[in-house]
Amino acid sequence: MGHPAYQITEGQILFDGKDVTEAGADERAQRGLFLAFQYPHAIPGVTVTSFLRSAMNAIRKARAGGVDDPVPIPEFRKSLLEAMDGLKVSRDLAQRYLNDGFSGGEKKRVEILQMAMLKPRIAVLDETDSGLDIDALKIVAQGVQELVSPEMGALVITHYQRILNYITPDFVHVFVDGRIVEEGGPELAHKLEAEGYQAFEVPA
């Protein structure tokens, strides 16, 4: 989504044919990019409900050319509760501060809840499987699998095969030192699980 500590020295980032290289994180989000963090941050004082409604309204405003177009509260509440139930997110979390005191599984489920509510064009899932027990992993993976569609793609970043036992990838890319060094289908992930990454390591 963009990090102030990094500087792009060459190349472009194109999204739906438009250059977003210089765009801020908010503008990239408004255009349909979404990032699920490996370690989601807590935001004390901001409830899950408030955060999601504010994010949805910001996207709606941007897509309406800067004109306020808030989602009606009954429509928002219906969509939120349906998404929470589908992802097995406790309804009690809706009124708690975002990620504040949440378990690892709750944090990751709420990340996928955001994905379900905001409906991005592309979701980047940064090691979403990190720190999850098998039950939480299955729920999160099932949520991703159900959300991915012709209207929503997902880039799943992982070091392990286990999340791919529940999400079937269309393509697998091996990324080493900033470059894609191998490409393939689901079978490549199985090969990596069996043989590791040693074949792609660059000698010192």
Side-chain angles (χ1 to χ4, degrees):
M1 294 298 287
H3 193 294
Y6 291 86
Q7 180 181 2
I8 298 173
T9 57
E10 61 179 305
Q12 289 179 297
I13 303 172
L14 299 177
F15 181 61
D16 278 344
K18 295 182 180 179
D19 188 349
V20 296
T21 310
E22 301 298 328
D26 57 339
E27 185 179 347
R28 291 177 181 178
Q30 290 162 4
R31 292 193 181 196
L33 286 173
F34 174 85
L35 173 64
F37 291 94
Q38 180 180 3
Y39 302 111
H41 293 284
I43 308 180
V46 179
T47 65
V48 170
T49 297
S50 177
F51 175 83
L52 285 172
R53 190 158 183 263
S54 294
M56 289 181 68
N57 286 339
I59 291 173
R60 288 168 67 101
K61 181 177 179 177
R63 293 176 181 172
V67 178
D68 284 324
D69 181 31
V71 58
I73 292 178
E75 178 185 329
F76 170 78
R77 177 176 172 77
K78 181 174 183 291
S79 297
L80 176 61
L81 294 179
E82 287 178 353
M84 293 184 82
D85 290 345
L87 291 167
K88 294 182 172 59
V89 176
S90 170
R91 291 189 176 190
D92 293 340
L93 294 184
Q95 299 307 317
R96 287 177 56 185
Y97 296 149
L98 182 65
N99 294 325
D100 193 16
F102 288 13
S103 68
E106 288 171 336
K107 288 180 180 180
K108 298 301 177 73
R109 274 181 258 188
V110 169
E111 291 279 281
I112 305 306
L113 174 64
Q114 293 174 41
M115 179 177 160
M117 294 295 290
L118 300 178
K119 297 178 172 59
R121 291 277 291 109
I122 295 289
V124 180
L125 310 180
D126 184 11
E127 298 191 44
T128 297
D129 51 343
S130 177
L132 294 182
D133 62 33
I134 190 63
D135 292 328
L137 177 67
K138 286 180 179 179
I139 292 169
V140 167
Q142 180 182 353
V144 173
Q145 188 84 346
E146 290 176 354
L147 290 170
V148 168
S149 69
E151 289 74 41
M152 185 191 302
L155 173 63
V156 180
I157 301 170
T158 183
H159 291 282
Y160 305 104
Q161 166 65 33
R162 65 179 198 148
I163 193 171
L164 301 182
N165 290 332
Y166 308 104
I167 298 175
T168 303
D170 296 306
F171 305 99
V172 174
H173 306 278
V174 181
F175 202 65
V176 177
D177 291 334
R179 296 183 180 279
I180 294 175
V181 297
E182 185 77 11
E183 297 176 293
E187 70 284 349
L188 178 55
H190 292 288
K191 178 181 177 182
L192 291 170
E193 182 72 7
E195 301 178 7
Y197 293 87
Q198 188 173 357
F200 304 106
E201 291 180 358
V202 178

